[in-house]
């Protein structure tokens, strides 16, 4: 059984590409993450601290992240139940460490996709869609770039897409094709070259 994980900075198109995937093939389904805390509810199922702890004891939490004062988690059943119905779950992840936890905690045929845009495109897209927190999104872009440069990317990504060069439909079709053929992981140097991150130059700039 297959599943897709999308990793990328703000405005790289994770939501847009997920919607395009569902339009290309209705078997693709976005995983509803668990959330303990407050704030935006779209794409999440709110749980209490007691419910989350109960799921931990049942070994149902595959990956858990603490950010912005909230806890975000992926319930194992949100992956396995769609697969049992012949669907392909799609989840979004925010950092390499959590991605590796997801991959090791949920043994399935993953297609691991890095969606990317340059920082200037991130800013332009954020302003065009009327975000009021563009500065925070640019900080998050820096954090994502730093995360990639500081992490071991060997055997991590099967597909890398510059979404400022490929529209959502084309990207979705490429991901669907990757699910069908189960590609091998890309070399680290190919990943960084595709997204335009130079370990020497950008590492200094992001310090």
């Amino acid at each position: 059984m297959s599943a897709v994980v999308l990793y990328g900075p703000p405005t790289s198109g994770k939501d847009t590409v997920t919607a395009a995937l569902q339009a290309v093939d209705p078997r693709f389904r976005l995983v509803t993450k668990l959330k303990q805390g407050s704030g935006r509810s779209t794409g999440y199922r709110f749980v209490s601290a007691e419910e989350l702890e109960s799921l931990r004891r049942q070994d149902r939490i595959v990956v858990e992240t603490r950010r912005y004062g909230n806890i975000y988690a992926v319930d194992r059943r949100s992956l396995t139940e769609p697969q049992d119905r012949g669907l392909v779950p799609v989840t979004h992840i925010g950092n390499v460490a959590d991605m590796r936890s997801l991959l090791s905690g949920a043994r399935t045929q993953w297609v691991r996709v890095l969606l990317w845009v340059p920082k200037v495109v991130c800013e332009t897209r954020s302003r065009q869609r009327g975000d009021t927190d563009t500065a925070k999104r640019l900080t998050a872009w820096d954090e994502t770039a730093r995360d990639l440069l500081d992490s071991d990317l060997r055997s991590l990504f099967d597909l890398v897409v510059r979404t400022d060069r490929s529209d959502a439909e084309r990207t979705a079709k490429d991901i669907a094709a990757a699910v069908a053929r189960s590609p091998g992981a890309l070399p680290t140097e190919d990943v960084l070259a595709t997204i335009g991150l130079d370990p020497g130059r950008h590492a200094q700039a992001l310090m």
Side-chain angles (χ1 to χ4, degrees), residues 39 53 64 107 114 138:
E53 180 56 32
E64 183 175 324
R107 298 292 184 177
L114 169 57
L138 293 175

Side-chain angles (χ1 to χ4, degrees), residues 47-189:
V47 294
S48 65
E50 293 75 17
E51 184 177 359
L52 188 58
E53 180 56 32
S54 174
L55 293 172
R56 292 190 191 105
R57 290 197 299 268
Q58 297 173 59
D59 192 31
R60 282 178 49 182
I61 300 301
V62 179
V63 61
E64 183 175 324
T65 304
R66 296 172 185 268
R67 196 170 189 183
Y68 308 126
N70 298 317
I71 300 176
Y72 304 87
V74 174
D75 182 350
R76 191 180 309 279
R77 290 186 184 174
S78 68
L79 300 170
T80 59
E81 289 180 353
Q83 289 178 323
D84 290 342
R85 304 198 307 273
L87 304 176
V88 181
V90 179
T91 190
H92 303 168
I93 210 75
N95 62 72
V96 170
D98 285 348
M99 186 167 175
R100 290 203 179 276
S101 295
L102 175 71
L103 299 176
S104 63
R107 298 292 184 177
T108 191
Q109 184 62 51
W110 286 101
V111 171
R112 304 155 300 177
V113 183
L114 169 57
L115 303 178
W116 191 258
V117 290
K119 189 174 183 178
V120 65
V121 176
C122 175
E123 180 175 12
T124 299
R125 286 183 174 181
S126 181
R127 296 192 187 284
Q128 285 178 342
R129 68 189 190 186
D131 293 337
T132 59
D133 58 350
T134 296
K136 290 183 179 179
R137 294 179 186 274
L138 293 175
T139 297
W141 187 98
D142 286 339
E143 291 170 351
T144 305
R146 178 80 271 167
D147 186 37
L148 290 169
L149 290 170
D150 286 349
S151 299
D152 181 359
L153 303 183
R154 289 175 295 179
S155 302
L156 190 60
F157 293 110
D158 304 302
L159 183 65
V160 181
V161 181
R162 283 277 301 265
T163 60
D164 56 322
R165 297 175 177 173
S166 176
D167 64 29
E169 182 180 2
R170 178 70 266 161
T171 301
K173 289 179 178 178
D174 287 345
I175 294 172
V179 169
R181 71 175 187 271
S182 300
L186 296 168
T188 298
E189 56 269 25

